[in-house]
Amino acid sequence: MDCAAGRRGRAQARRGWSRWVPALQGPGSSQPGRRGPQTWVMAGEAALPGAELLPFARFLDSSARGLAYGYGQGSLRELRAREFGRLAGTVYLDHAGATLFPQSQLTSFTNDLIGNVYGNPHSQNISSKLTHDTVEQVRYRVLAHFHTTPEDYSVIFTSGATAALKLVAEAFPWVSGGPESGGSQFCYLTDSHTSVVGMREVARAMGVTSTPVSPEDVRLAEKRGVAITDPDCPLPHLFCYPAQSNFSGTRYPLSWIAEVKSGRMCPVSTPGKWFVLLDAASYVSTSPLDLSVHRADFVPISFYKIFGFPTGLGALLVNNQTASLLRKSYFGGGTAAAYLAGEDFYIPRESVAERFEDGTISFLDVIALKHGFDALERLTGGMEHIRQHTFTLTQYTYAALSTLRYPNGAPVVRVYSDSEFSSPDVQGPIINFNVLDDNGNIIGYSQVDKMASLHNIQVRTGCFCNTGACQRHLGISSDKVKRNLQAGHVCGDDVDLIDGQPTGSVRISFGYMSTLEDAQAFLRFIIATCLCPSHGQSLLQATPREAGVPPAEDEVGATPAAVDGSSPSYQEDTPTDSCVWNKLPTAVGAVGLHPPLSEADRTQETPSEKAPGVPSKVLGTHVVTNLYLYPIKSCAAFEVKASWPVGHQGLLYDRNWMVVNHNGICMSQKQEPRLCLIQPFIDLQQKIMVVKAPGMAPIKVPLEENNEPTQICQSKVCADRVNTYDCGEKISSWLSEFFGRPCHLIKQSSNFQRHAKKKYSKDQSGTTATLSLVNEAQYLLINRSSVLELQRQLNICNENGKEELFSVEDLIPRFRANIITNGTKPFEEEKWDEIAIGSIRFQVVGPCHRCQMICIDQQTGQRNQDVFQKLSESRERKVNFGVYLMHAPLDLSSPSFLSVGSQVLPMLKENIAHNLAASEKHQDVTS
């Protein structure tokens, strides 16, 4: 699906949209609040109505309330350059997920650790006393930040907001229901984080009823009020709600705290005393919270939402009037005033914090908080300034998004919110939305996310651990959620549309260091990809995607896949009698070290020219024109000129090695595009791999382990753990010098098995394919006709008559396939069920769903988003290109080969039997 309606209007405006020029310098380039005729226009003609970028100055002039941008004491641009230089070129819009720490905060904390000795606070020595006193000082600082004192609240440090919620669930004085009593009630707003909803499991185990209530129900209760019923009833109930929805940014009234606690507003009509838990984790990241006014009983917070660092540290702020009611069963180190090991005797410590902080707290992280508070106040002047600044950016972005229209008048986005973004009292710095096409169809959030990544814009997609809000805003029924699960969709995946309906949305959120440039870069991205794409079509398309079809990344099977076991080397595939394989060098003497094909030698040759030794009678409709293997995962291809041996895992030595960073994490071209410049060459005769790179002397790596003992290390390929070994210091130093940072070359262990998740065929019970360091499948096949169609679309002249040339030789390497065929029709390979190449049968296991990797020129490492955008524009479904193949386990009593020039016999489901008979006639081609 594409933006079809109004295409005529876009065609008329097409020429001007591709050359945007600023009438004055963009507002983010000088003083954002400065008034003036700042707007963006098209060169040579008026802007298409509904597609202009809202000028910030005009927005400020039209605002009904005073808005503040920045922090007054200095330029926000200078702050960004000084404190967040790592953001250069990146638009980070996921502050609701995790905000970012400033450089000075980390420097100050590091200097603190270097200059002081901090011991375990449970000891009594001098360094321990320093730690204890510093931690207590930080507790006071936390309470002061929330405008309260140790007399009113206690700070219990936890591993995060989730741990704080779990603590309340386990320690709350629940009363289980009985025949004569309904027992306690646990009530929570449906617009709550997963960690709040999860408290109901603890409540259920204690015999307590849980009741979800919608925001509408609570607002109705607030309007009508409820008379206090039996105020003397001591039965304790707990009501939980978020100060700010992490889904939509809606800010719920803090006045609900007093209303519920007093009994004037009851979320559930039942006698007893109500306590209130205010989930403040999202709210306090950009707003002040005054606990002297809004005296919630429990307030869980997470510090990385405020400071960005440290992570893994949160707190539960407990109202001291409520603290005495909390019950605790387990006790750990530091929580006991006295206990006996030989009998049931235990006396807890007196203070609330000491009673509930089991074991030694993360005291260095607690000390880091001091530097977080210092940096925040120094850079911004306090939380109220952050609240005003982030709301200004949010209101501007919302206003700009709301004005965007297609030529037919249809809106470009659908925003999910309960507010009109009129005030920071009702709306936080979050905008949740889906992009629409001009027919009103929703464009899948994964498509938007990938397109945003091409523009270096980082957003968040999905349901954001808030299923209740997601269901409410997107109109997803509970039955639909269950059906989506059965279809293969789970929380956190990228299955964004099922039966044309969304499973989630897109969220952007601002932090205290966000700038007008960030907001406008995002808005220009939406305009550029929806309203003014090249050739009058939308680059974002509303296209349904089948559940359970995973995306691909940089190479064969570069899709996160659930697979079990591990990955053997080729040697492990070899039969016990390996004499056959010992003869490989003579059998494949033509496939030693081969330089890359020159421009003239490549794909313009006919199949007969490519493989002169193959009889012309077998060169049918579909022929293998090129074979590639990728010895080092994510590095350059090694092209086979004639034939190459095949094992159980695929082509011999295909993705047997990978480059890892200093932490042992696999490096890919997504993070390090220069991997494509690492060129491996396999010499089967000498049993070595020669590795080359620009500016580096070639280096040799043995193909197999030597007899020296090697240390096996655990590595990960996508979600799989595999056994590998380090290839030595020499190649590690070589790679480290090339990349300018420590890295290593590792190889899969020869005695390690890893099996594909999917079985080879339904009629082969229990048969699974074995994998090397690929992520999902043994092979990737692409059709030259599909490449030519993509090339044709990319090479259309633009409005200046200048032609952008993408050669077939440039495009083919981007897709990192093993097998290239000369098919008759574009994308016909997606209809194949099986294929036969010589004596080897392959199952087509599905299309390869592409990501931004195809934007990297494999000759230079430079990025160009045109290829991905054109696929996004032109395909009827998601950005699929090529198909995954796996073969049945082979009988390796005799060698098997794949050869350039071999006939490819595709088999559709309805004619597999017919094609199998035909394939047997030609099985001598590659044997």
Side-chain angles (χ1 to χ4, degrees):
M1 288 179 283
D2 59 15
C3 300
R7 191 170 295 154
R8 183 179 305 155
R10 279 200 301 276
Q12 294 170 352
R14 187 181 309 152
R15 194 169 301 242
W17 276 119
S18 62
R19 302 196 315 278
W20 280 36
V21 295
L24 277 179
Q25 193 164 13
S29 301
S30 55
Q31 295 298 322
R34 174 181 152 193
R35 305 299 192 267
Q38 297 171 338
T39 186
W40 289 88
V41 299
M42 295 190 301
E45 58 185 283
L48 186 65
E52 300 92 347
L53 179 63
L54 175 65
F56 190 63
R58 184 190 303 169
F59 162 74
L60 292 177
D61 286 337
S62 63
S63 176
R65 54 173 284 127
L67 295 175
Y69 176 85
Y71 303 105
Q73 72 270 34
S75 165
L76 189 57
R77 175 181 293 177
E78 292 175 0
L79 184 152
R80 275 282 288 262
R82 182 178 69 252
E83 298 282 1
F84 301 94
R86 61 191 185 277
L87 278 176
T90 298
V91 178
Y92 183 82
L93 295 176
D94 188 25
H95 294 274
T99 198
L100 306 174
F101 59 83
Q103 182 174 326
S104 61
Q105 175 188 346
L106 209 58
T107 301
S108 177
F109 174 52
T110 303
N111 292 337
D112 189 349
L113 296 186
I114 292 172
N116 293 282
V117 178
Y118 291 111
N120 190 313
H122 291 165
S123 298
Q124 299 300 318
N125 56 57
I126 296 174
S127 62
S128 300
K129 183 66 165 56
L130 175 64
T131 303
H132 176 273
D133 292 345
T134 306
V135 167
E136 292 308 301
Q137 185 64 30
V138 173
R139 289 190 205 272
Y140 300 148
R141 189 74 175 272
V142 171
L143 293 173
H145 183 78
F146 294 106
H147 304 279
T148 188
T149 66
E151 286 69 40
D152 293 323
Y153 278 86
S154 296
V155 179
I156 301 172
F157 287 116
T158 64
S159 62
T162 295
L165 291 163
K166 183 171 180 284
L167 189 157
V168 175
E170 294 173 340
F172 190 79
W174 305 109
V175 175
S176 58
E180 300 180 359
S181 170
S184 296
Q185 287 272 345
F186 170 55
C187 186
Y188 59 90
L189 203 69
T190 52
D191 187 355
S192 288
H193 192 277
T194 301
S195 300
V196 171
V197 181
M199 295 172 67
R200 73 185 183 194
E201 301 304 306
V202 178
R204 178 184 291 116
M206 296 183 179
V208 171
T209 301
S210 296
T211 305
V213 292
S214 69
E216 293 83 0
D217 289 339
V218 178
R219 289 191 174 104
L220 281 175
E222 182 183 22
K223 287 181 180 179
R224 65 173 179 261
V226 178
I228 299 176
T229 57
D230 197 3
D232 296 327
C233 178
L235 197 62
H237 310 298
L238 182 63
F239 174 54
C240 300
Y241 80 98
Q244 174 178 292
S245 168
N246 75 310
F247 182 92
S248 65
T250 296
R251 286 181 168 169
Y252 293 103
L254 297 178
S255 59
W256 285 0
I257 298 170
E259 293 291 306
V260 171
K261 290 183 66 174
S262 67
R264 292 189 297 271
M265 183 181 81
C266 293
V268 177
S269 182
T270 185
K273 179 176 176 58
W274 282 94
F275 297 86
V276 176
L277 183 152
L278 182 72
D279 178 8
S282 179
Y283 180 86
V284 300
S285 62
T286 55
S287 281
L289 175 62
D290 191 341
L291 292 180
S292 68
V293 176
H294 307 292
R295 299 176 60 83
D297 296 289
F298 310 101
V299 183
I301 57 177
S302 192
F303 289 109
Y304 77 93
K305 302 277 189 182
I306 307 172
F307 307 125
F309 176 87
T311 58
L313 181 67
L316 178 67
L317 310 183
V318 182
N319 190 318
N320 289 337
Q321 293 181 348
T322 308
S324 61
L325 301 177
L326 297 180
R327 302 179 303 197
K328 190 165 184 284
S329 52
Y330 175 83
F331 67 92
T335 64
Y339 77 96
L340 291 174
E343 63 179 84
D344 187 8
F345 175 78
Y346 159 64
I347 303 298
R349 290 191 180 272
E350 184 175 351
S351 81
V352 176
E354 289 178 318
R355 265 189 286 142
F356 284 93
E357 289 174 351
D358 292 312
T360 302
I361 61 173
S362 185
F363 55 88
L364 293 181
D365 285 340
V366 172
I367 293 170
L369 295 181
K370 184 261 184 191
H371 302 279
F373 284 118
D374 288 346
L376 205 65
E377 292 176 7
R378 182 180 68 253
L379 297 176
T380 69
M383 295 304 297
E384 180 58 32
H385 293 154
I386 294 174
R387 183 173 92 128
Q388 295 296 333
H389 169 75
T390 54
F391 176 73
T392 297
L393 287 177
T394 306
Q395 191 184 51
Y396 166 72
T397 306
Y398 169 74
L401 278 177
S402 300
T403 62
L404 296 181
R405 292 288 189 273
Y406 287 103
N408 65 355
V412 172
V413 299
R414 178 180 300 157
V415 176
Y416 304 111
S417 175
D418 293 315
S419 80
E420 293 297 324
F421 291 74
S422 58
S423 163
D425 295 331
V426 297
Q427 180 64 45
I430 291 173
I431 304 176
N432 194 304
F433 63 96
N434 267 317
V435 179
L436 311 175
D437 69 8
D438 51 8
N439 289 318
N441 299 309
I442 288 178
I443 296 165
Y445 61 73
S446 292
Q447 185 80 340
V448 178
D449 188 19
K450 288 179 179 177
M451 291 298 295
S453 295
L454 291 177
H455 292 75
N456 293 323
I457 298 173
Q458 300 181 19
V459 301
R460 179 84 175 264
T461 59
C463 270
F464 322 105
C465 296
N466 192 333
T467 300
C470 194
Q471 284 186 259
R472 175 170 165 260
H473 285 286
L474 274 64
I476 306 174
S477 68
S478 296
D479 287 342
K480 181 65 173 175
V481 171
K482 296 173 184 177
R483 290 197 299 270
N484 289 349
L485 176 63
Q486 293 174 345
H489 172 56
V490 297
C491 291
D493 67 17
D494 63 352
V495 180
D496 48 18
L497 295 172
I498 297 179
D499 299 327
Q501 298 303 309
T503 63
S505 53
V506 183
R507 186 186 74 185
I508 64 170
S509 50
F510 295 101
Y512 74 84
M513 75 296 298
S514 296
T515 64
L516 177 63
E517 288 89 344
D518 292 333
Q520 293 189 328
F522 164 75
L523 291 167
R524 290 192 185 101
F525 154 69
I526 294 293
I527 292 172
T529 51
C530 257
L531 294 176
C532 34
S534 60
H535 317 309
Q537 285 187 306
S538 175
L539 301 176
L540 289 173
Q541 300 172 359
T543 54
R545 176 180 174 191
E546 294 181 5
V549 179
E553 290 184 359
D554 59 297
E555 54 229 9
V556 171
T559 299
V563 287
D564 49 9
S566 302
S567 171
S569 70
Y570 179 77
Q571 186 180 17
E572 205 255 332
D573 293 331
T574 307
T576 305
D577 181 7
S578 59
C579 60
V580 171
W581 294 104
N582 292 333
K583 299 177 182 178
L584 278 177
T586 41
V588 291
V591 290
L593 287 174
H594 296 298
L597 290 177
S598 67
E599 194 76 12
D601 291 333
R602 291 200 180 204
T603 55
Q604 303 305 318
E605 300 169 343
T606 64
S608 59
E609 291 169 334
K610 293 279 294 180
V614 180
S616 59
K617 65 178 181 179
V618 303
L619 298 177
T621 303
H622 300 282
V623 173
V624 175
T625 62
N626 304 81
L627 281 176
Y628 298 98
L629 59 144
Y630 304 83
I632 305 175
K633 185 178 175 73
S634 228
C635 290
F638 171 60
E639 183 167 7
V640 174
K641 288 293 191 65
S643 299
W644 195 261
V646 172
H648 284 319
Q649 297 173 349
L651 291 170
L652 181 62
Y653 297 119
D654 183 42
R655 295 174 177 92
N656 277 197
W657 292 264
M658 62 182 178
V659 181
V660 298
N661 67 12
H662 64 289
N663 290 322
I665 307 301
C666 179
M667 295 168 59
S668 79
Q669 288 186 30
K670 279 187 174 181
Q671 296 79 34
E672 181 51 81
R674 291 196 302 156
L675 280 165
C676 71
L677 304 180
I678 302 292
Q679 176 70 66
F681 301 88
I682 299 290
D683 190 327
L684 293 175
Q685 292 180 328
Q686 298 187 49
K687 297 183 179 180
I688 60 169
M689 175 174 65
V690 178
V691 185
K692 298 181 179 181
M696 303 291 292
I699 188 170
K700 297 178 181 179
V701 177
L703 293 180
E704 302 295 345
E705 299 101 318
N706 52 36
N707 295 326
E708 299 177 4
T710 57
Q711 183 176 359
I712 301 299
C713 53
Q714 288 281 316
S715 300
K716 249 190 174 183
V717 176
C718 196
D720 264 355
R721 287 210 170 271
V722 295
N723 280 359
T724 61
Y725 68 89
D726 196 300
C727 294
E729 185 60 34
K730 187 176 178 181
I731 183 64
S732 294
S733 299
W734 190 92
L735 291 167
S736 300
E737 180 182 349
F738 179 74
F739 290 114
R741 54 192 171 109
C743 48
H744 300 265
L745 183 70
I746 61 175
K747 186 178 187 292
Q748 61 181 32
S749 300
S750 60
N751 58 352
F752 200 66
Q753 281 276 351
R754 173 178 169 231
H755 296 280
K757 182 75 171 179
K758 296 179 181 177
K759 289 186 169 48
Y760 167 71
S761 179
K762 293 180 180 178
D763 60 354
Q764 300 186 37
S765 178
T767 301
T768 58
T770 57
L771 303 177
S772 60
L773 295 178
V774 298
N775 290 355
E776 180 164 348
Q778 297 165 330
Y779 301 87
L780 178 63
L781 177 147
I782 64 173
N783 176 357
R784 186 175 295 272
S785 295
S786 304
V787 180
L788 289 169
E789 172 61 20
L790 175 62
Q791 181 198 31
R792 183 190 67 79
Q793 296 175 9
L794 285 166
N795 288 343
I796 297 175
C797 294
N798 64 23
E799 72 279 359
N800 293 323
K802 181 180 178 181
E803 195 172 354
E804 279 189 296
L805 291 177
F806 285 84
S807 68
V808 172
E809 289 71 32
D810 170 55
L811 291 174
I812 285 178
R814 292 172 182 256
F815 295 103
R816 303 183 62 78
N818 297 105
I819 302 169
I820 316 297
T821 72
N822 68 336
T824 57
K825 295 187 300 183
F827 307 110
E828 63 180 320
E829 64 275 13
E830 295 178 1
K831 299 178 181 178
W832 298 346
D833 186 74
E834 293 185 16
I835 65 170
I837 304 178
S839 62
I840 306 176
R841 282 178 54 191
F842 300 87
Q843 182 185 15
V844 179
V845 294
C848 180
H849 187 65
R850 295 296 180 169
C851 70
Q852 308 93 314
M853 275 288 302
I854 61 175
C855 296
I856 299 174
D857 185 330
Q858 295 297 299
Q859 301 300 318
T860 65
Q862 299 299 310
R863 299 180 190 271
N864 184 309
Q865 65 196 38
D866 291 351
V867 177
F868 187 92
Q869 288 183 340
K870 182 55 64 176
L871 276 179
S872 174
E873 173 185 331
S874 61
R875 294 309 310 274
E876 294 180 358
R877 295 182 297 279
K878 288 282 188 173
V879 189
N880 295 337
F881 201 92
V883 291
Y884 291 127
L885 306 178
M886 290 196 289
H887 58 56
L890 303 175
D891 177 9
L892 295 183
S893 58
S894 61
S896 294
F897 297 87
L898 282 179
S899 300
V900 175
S902 295
Q903 186 174 14
V904 179
L905 295 172
M907 308 173 206
L908 301 177
K909 292 180 180 180
E910 59 270 18
N911 61 2
I912 287 178
H914 172 76
N915 283 336
L916 278 177
S919 68
E920 291 173 357
K921 299 178 182 179
H922 303 294
Q923 65 180 7
D924 60 324
V925 173
T926 56
S927 300

